[in-house]
Amino acid sequence: MRLVARLSRWLALEGMDVEGLGASEVDRFVRTRRAAGPQLRSIKALQPLLAYLQSRGVVLPSPRAPDDPADELLERYQRYLAIERGLGKATADVYARMVRPFLRHRLSSDGRALDLAGLAATDVVTFVVARCPQLSRGAASLTVTALRSLLTFLHVEGLIAQSLAACVPSVAGRRLAGLPKGLDCDLVQRLLTSCGRDTSNGCRDFAVLTMLVRLGLRAGEVAKLKLDDLDWRTGEILVRGKGNCIEHLPLPADVGEAVAAYLRHGRPRTAQGRTVFVRVRAPHNALTSAGVSQIVAAAGCRTGLGRIHAHRLRHTAASAMLRAGASLPEVGQVLRHRRALTTAIYAKVDREALRTIARPWPGEVA
């Protein structure tokens, strides 16, 4: 409503009515608001209002900009990832974002076509060598992975004569080099205690944190949880994981109690849809994965631990299972790892098992 009021005042100052609002006028308004402050960063905030005015015939639709050949190809690539490779939309979006600079380098001088026929291995290596030093190790590793996937897609589509995926250099970095950063039991208790369960907001946050700590779910898996996924009779929960994998996990009693308390006392009656966790403020739409991450970050700030990422609670759940005597294969089953090597990193924090293979220090202790 504030944006509508500002637009109305700007039209009055310019001596125009809403019928005179066109693409150039919208662009002028956006530039004016940017100069006044950071409240309006792009035209996207105006799209709902403009769409409504266009549907009422008050404002003429803006002329459609010519299609970007790179964006057109990326849309086809994302459909390929979703249909042929079985990746989720969020992952496909990340892959497309990572390889967009590579395709932008292949645009013709007029920007209307992509030069892919002359693509060679040297072009691929040159891009990786120039791009990756600007990124973190994780982002660089994801970039080369996405680039290999794109080059495979281009070959499958017949846009390049041979696959150049093998020409993409690898990013230096040893697997399993770091340590999983879990939280100690007392810190976990401080996180949970920081949620005031006498409010709907605190009731929801407590249920989310309990689910993350006890089951080791990912933020996106908690956000996608639906009411029908909770089988109270059998004590199971259905999890929609990465790659559209659907698996069942046992529902611990404390997790069930926290979720049930939220459903009884915290979830708004006006909640939209069938997702378990929804926004506190209206409209009460489904909570996103970013919203789940924000819950964890806010709890960390309340307890003086700083900003904590939701995935750190997944490490916490794995470490807790190891301390309780679970084996690595059992931990991998709960975390739903596809490869045993992914779970192997937790062997570094299994102190009891490490003591059995540690050799005694030579000589006497000084």
Side-chain angles (χ1 to χ4, degrees):
M1 296 303 294
R2 292 178 182 175
L3 185 58
V4 174
R6 286 168 180 158
L7 177 60
S8 178
R9 288 195 295 268
W10 182 82
L11 288 172
L13 290 174
E14 295 290 325
M16 296 187 301
D17 53 19
V18 70
E19 287 80 3
L21 191 63
S24 59
E25 288 74 22
V26 170
D27 185 60
R28 284 169 50 203
F29 171 71
V30 171
R31 290 201 305 269
T32 302
R33 292 308 310 163
R34 284 176 181 167
Q39 294 89 355
L40 185 63
R41 296 181 180 273
S42 73
I43 198 176
K44 290 183 179 180
L46 283 170
Q47 291 299 344
L49 173 61
L50 295 178
Y52 171 75
L53 294 176
Q54 290 169 7
S55 67
R56 306 293 294 182
V58 178
V59 178
L60 294 177
S62 303
R64 188 173 183 269
D67 292 329
D68 188 318
D71 289 338
E72 287 185 346
L73 183 60
L74 286 175
E75 288 180 6
R76 292 168 52 191
Y77 172 57
Q78 288 176 276
R79 288 195 296 269
Y80 161 81
L81 292 176
I83 298 173
E84 301 296 335
R85 305 301 299 170
L87 298 185
K89 183 181 182 303
T91 305
D93 290 344
V94 171
Y95 272 42
R97 186 172 70 249
M98 289 297 181
V99 298
R100 180 175 278 108
F102 176 76
L103 291 179
R104 303 295 298 180
H105 278 82
R106 306 303 302 177
L107 281 173
S108 59
S109 56
D110 58 3
R112 297 183 179 180
L114 285 170
D115 178 20
L116 297 175
L119 187 63
T122 53
D123 301 319
V124 175
V125 175
T126 300
F127 170 78
V128 172
V129 171
R131 177 74 175 172
C132 287
Q134 307 171 16
L135 308 174
S136 65
R137 187 177 68 83
S141 178
L142 184 57
T143 297
V144 298
T145 299
L147 185 57
R148 292 190 188 102
S149 172
L150 175 68
L151 293 172
T152 301
F153 162 75
L154 295 177
H155 178 56
V156 170
E157 292 289 307
L159 299 175
I160 56 178
Q162 59 181 358
S163 176
L164 299 175
C167 303
V168 181
S170 299
V171 175
R174 298 181 179 181
R175 286 187 60 85
L176 309 179
L179 283 173
K181 299 178 180 180
L183 298 176
D184 295 334
C185 296
D186 58 335
L187 296 181
V188 171
Q189 190 59 41
R190 286 171 57 186
L191 280 180
L192 297 177
T193 306
S194 69
C195 302
R197 284 184 278 174
D198 53 341
T199 65
S200 59
N201 191 6
C203 195
R204 182 202 62 179
D205 293 356
F206 180 80
V208 168
L209 292 174
T210 303
M211 188 165 285
L212 291 171
V213 169
R214 294 285 282 116
L215 295 177
L217 300 185
R218 303 177 179 91
E221 295 167 348
V222 173
K224 289 186 289 187
L225 189 65
K226 298 183 180 299
L227 296 173
D228 304 320
D229 298 337
L230 300 169
D231 192 337
W232 300 102
R233 186 177 298 275
T234 61
E236 288 186 343
I237 181 174
L238 186 146
V239 180
R240 293 175 171 83
K242 295 172 64 175
N244 296 323
C245 290
I246 297 178
E247 299 179 74
H248 293 266
L249 286 178
L251 182 63
D254 56 343
V255 178
E257 291 174 359
V259 174
Y262 165 68
L263 294 178
R264 289 195 185 107
H265 310 296
R267 191 174 188 268
R269 296 182 180 274
T270 55
Q272 305 294 317
R274 299 283 295 171
T275 55
V276 173
F277 299 107
V278 298
R279 290 163 45 92
V280 174
R281 295 182 180 178
H284 303 298
N285 296 323
L287 193 67
T288 63
S289 58
V292 174
S293 299
Q294 183 58 36
I295 288 174
V296 180
C301 293
R302 286 196 304 267
T303 55
L305 299 177
R307 188 174 182 85
I308 298 177
H309 296 283
H311 208 76
R312 190 170 178 184
L313 300 187
R314 184 171 169 87
H315 295 322
T316 301
S319 301
M321 284 186 279
L322 286 174
R323 288 196 299 268
S327 64
L328 284 177
E330 291 170 337
V331 173
Q333 289 178 0
V334 174
L335 299 183
R336 289 155 288 111
H337 288 157
R338 296 183 181 180
R339 297 184 301 170
L341 185 61
T342 307
T343 317
I345 191 172
Y346 294 107
K348 295 183 177 183
V349 296
D350 190 0
R351 297 178 180 176
E352 296 303 322
L354 290 175
R355 285 192 181 98
T356 63
I357 61 174
R359 301 183 65 181
W361 187 263
E364 296 182 358
V365 179

